[in-house]
Short mmCIF file of all heavy atoms in Angstrom, two decimals:
data_model
loop_
_atom_site.label_atom_id
_atom_site.label_comp_id
_atom_site.label_asym_id
_atom_site.label_seq_id
_atom_site.Cartn_x
_atom_site.Cartn_y
_atom_site.Cartn_z
N LYS F 762 113.23 -4.48 -127.57
CA LYS F 762 113.65 -4.82 -128.91
C LYS F 762 114.28 -3.66 -129.61
O LYS F 762 115.30 -3.77 -130.32
CB LYS F 762 112.51 -5.43 -129.72
CG LYS F 762 112.97 -6.06 -131.05
CD LYS F 762 111.89 -6.83 -131.72
CE LYS F 762 112.41 -7.51 -133.00
NZ LYS F 762 111.39 -8.26 -133.66
N ILE F 763 113.70 -2.43 -129.44
CA ILE F 763 114.30 -1.20 -130.07
C ILE F 763 115.66 -0.98 -129.51
O ILE F 763 116.63 -0.67 -130.23
CB ILE F 763 113.37 0.01 -129.81
CG1 ILE F 763 112.06 -0.19 -130.62
CG2 ILE F 763 114.05 1.26 -130.17
CD1 ILE F 763 110.99 0.84 -130.28
N VAL F 764 115.84 -1.06 -128.17
CA VAL F 764 117.14 -0.78 -127.58
C VAL F 764 118.17 -1.75 -128.00
O VAL F 764 119.34 -1.42 -128.39
CB VAL F 764 116.99 -0.75 -126.02
CG1 VAL F 764 118.37 -0.73 -125.35
CG2 VAL F 764 116.15 0.44 -125.56
N GLU F 765 117.80 -3.09 -127.99
CA GLU F 765 118.77 -4.11 -128.41
C GLU F 765 119.11 -3.97 -129.87
O GLU F 765 120.21 -4.34 -130.28
CB GLU F 765 118.18 -5.50 -128.09
CG GLU F 765 118.12 -5.76 -126.56
CD GLU F 765 117.53 -7.10 -126.26
OE1 GLU F 765 116.95 -7.75 -127.18
OE2 GLU F 765 117.56 -7.52 -125.10
N HIS F 766 118.12 -3.58 -130.67
CA HIS F 766 118.46 -3.32 -132.09
C HIS F 766 119.54 -2.27 -132.29
O HIS F 766 120.33 -2.35 -133.24
CB HIS F 766 117.14 -2.90 -132.82
CG HIS F 766 117.41 -2.47 -134.26
ND1 HIS F 766 117.82 -3.35 -135.25
CD2 HIS F 766 117.31 -1.22 -134.85
CE1 HIS F 766 117.96 -2.71 -136.35
NE2 HIS F 766 117.65 -1.44 -136.17
N HIS F 767 119.62 -1.34 -131.38
CA HIS F 767 120.68 -0.30 -131.42
C HIS F 767 121.99 -0.73 -130.74
O HIS F 767 122.90 0.06 -130.65
CB HIS F 767 120.18 1.01 -130.78
CG HIS F 767 119.21 1.76 -131.66
ND1 HIS F 767 117.82 1.45 -131.66
CD2 HIS F 767 119.33 2.75 -132.57
CE1 HIS F 767 117.17 2.26 -132.50
NE2 HIS F 767 118.09 3.05 -133.06
N GLY F 768 122.00 -1.93 -130.23
CA GLY F 768 123.21 -2.41 -129.57
C GLY F 768 123.26 -2.05 -128.09
O GLY F 768 124.32 -2.12 -127.50
N GLY F 769 122.14 -1.62 -127.52
CA GLY F 769 122.08 -1.21 -126.09
C GLY F 769 121.43 -2.27 -125.20
O GLY F 769 121.14 -3.37 -125.66
N THR F 770 121.17 -1.86 -123.98
CA THR F 770 120.58 -2.77 -122.97
C THR F 770 119.49 -1.98 -122.24
O THR F 770 119.68 -0.79 -121.93
CB THR F 770 121.61 -3.27 -121.96
OG1 THR F 770 122.69 -3.86 -122.71
CG2 THR F 770 121.06 -4.32 -121.04
N LEU F 771 118.35 -2.67 -121.93
CA LEU F 771 117.23 -2.08 -121.18
C LEU F 771 116.99 -2.92 -119.98
O LEU F 771 116.84 -4.16 -120.04
CB LEU F 771 116.02 -1.96 -122.05
CG LEU F 771 114.71 -1.52 -121.39
CD1 LEU F 771 114.80 -0.12 -120.87
CD2 LEU F 771 113.52 -1.66 -122.38
N TRP F 772 116.93 -2.29 -118.78
CA TRP F 772 116.59 -3.02 -117.58
C TRP F 772 115.80 -2.06 -116.65
O TRP F 772 115.60 -0.89 -116.95
CB TRP F 772 117.82 -3.53 -116.89
CG TRP F 772 118.72 -2.50 -116.27
CD1 TRP F 772 118.79 -2.16 -114.95
CD2 TRP F 772 119.75 -1.74 -116.97
NE1 TRP F 772 119.77 -1.16 -114.77
CE2 TRP F 772 120.36 -0.95 -115.99
CE3 TRP F 772 120.19 -1.67 -118.27
CZ2 TRP F 772 121.40 -0.06 -116.29
CZ3 TRP F 772 121.21 -0.80 -118.58
CH2 TRP F 772 121.79 0.02 -117.62
N LEU F 773 115.31 -2.65 -115.53
CA LEU F 773 114.36 -1.99 -114.69
C LEU F 773 114.78 -2.10 -113.24
O LEU F 773 115.25 -3.15 -112.80
CB LEU F 773 112.96 -2.65 -114.88
CG LEU F 773 111.83 -2.32 -113.86
CD1 LEU F 773 111.44 -0.82 -113.96
CD2 LEU F 773 110.64 -3.19 -114.11
N GLU F 774 114.58 -1.00 -112.46
CA GLU F 774 114.67 -0.98 -111.03
C GLU F 774 113.37 -0.39 -110.51
O GLU F 774 112.95 0.67 -110.94
CB GLU F 774 115.85 -0.17 -110.54
CG GLU F 774 117.19 -0.76 -110.86
CD GLU F 774 118.36 0.11 -110.41
OE1 GLU F 774 118.06 1.24 -109.93
OE2 GLU F 774 119.50 -0.30 -110.49
N SER F 775 112.72 -1.12 -109.55
CA SER F 775 111.37 -0.66 -109.12
C SER F 775 111.11 -1.02 -107.67
O SER F 775 111.60 -2.05 -107.23
CB SER F 775 110.33 -1.24 -110.03
OG SER F 775 109.01 -0.74 -109.72
N THR F 776 110.34 -0.10 -107.03
CA THR F 776 109.92 -0.39 -105.65
C THR F 776 108.40 -0.22 -105.59
O THR F 776 107.88 0.88 -105.87
CB THR F 776 110.55 0.63 -104.66
OG1 THR F 776 112.00 0.50 -104.76
CG2 THR F 776 110.14 0.31 -103.21
N PRO F 777 107.64 -1.30 -105.31
CA PRO F 777 106.16 -1.20 -105.39
C PRO F 777 105.56 -0.60 -104.14
O PRO F 777 106.20 -0.46 -103.07
CB PRO F 777 105.76 -2.69 -105.54
CG PRO F 777 106.87 -3.45 -104.77
CD PRO F 777 108.11 -2.66 -105.03
#
Side-chain angles (χ1 to χ4, degrees):
K762 190 169 184 182
I763 291 172
V764 171
E765 291 178 349
H766 173 67
H767 286 84
T770 307
L771 172 63
W772 70 98
L773 166 67
E774 292 179 353
S775 184
T776 303

